């Protein structure tokens, strides 16, 4: 599963290190920060973690999250 959050502010080096540490500990597969849109995306194993647990990990790391960004559907044209 992948989830994206809008960030309140840019992440500092300590917050990025905390994310790396949590990713290894909690089974978050990978994360990416999009500084242009101020968003943080996580890929995680939904069989091991729930979305609420991902949010809890972010709060523990003091990541300034405003809220979840709903995925946008894409329509392919033939």
């Amino acid at each position: 599963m992948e989830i994206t959050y809008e960030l309140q502010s840019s992440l500092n080096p300590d917050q990025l290190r905390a994310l790396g540490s949590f990713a290894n500990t909690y089974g978050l597969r990978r994360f990416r920060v999009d500084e242009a849109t101020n968003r943080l995306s996580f890929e995680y194993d939904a069989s091991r973690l729930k979305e609420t647990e991902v949010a809890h990990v972010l709060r523990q790391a003091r990541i300034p999250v405003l809220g979840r960004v709903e995925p946008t559907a894409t329509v392919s044209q033939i």
Side-chain angles (χ1 to χ4, degrees):
M1 294 285 303
E2 186 168 327
I3 189 168
T4 301
Y5 293 97
E6 184 176 1
L7 295 171
Q8 185 177 13
S9 60
S10 298
L11 300 179
N12 64 42
D14 289 334
Q15 291 166 321
L16 288 171
R17 275 191 292 280
L19 283 175
S21 173
F22 280 119
N24 290 332
T25 304
Y26 289 96
L28 299 169
R29 291 184 181 152
R30 49 182 137 161
F31 68 91
R32 76 176 173 278
V33 178
D34 185 342
E35 292 180 2
T37 61
N38 219 28
R39 292 184 176 178
L40 171 65
S41 297
F42 271 103
E43 184 180 313
Y44 67 97
D45 182 351
S47 69
R48 293 181 58 200
L49 293 172
K50 297 179 185 174
E51 184 180 324
T52 55
E53 292 170 313
V54 174
H56 177 73
V57 167
L58 294 175
R59 282 192 302 275
Q60 282 186 323
R62 300 191 186 274
I63 305 300
V65 173
L66 288 175
R68 180 178 177 201
V69 176
E70 294 298 323
T72 56
T74 58
V75 177
S76 61
Q77 295 181 349
I78 298 178

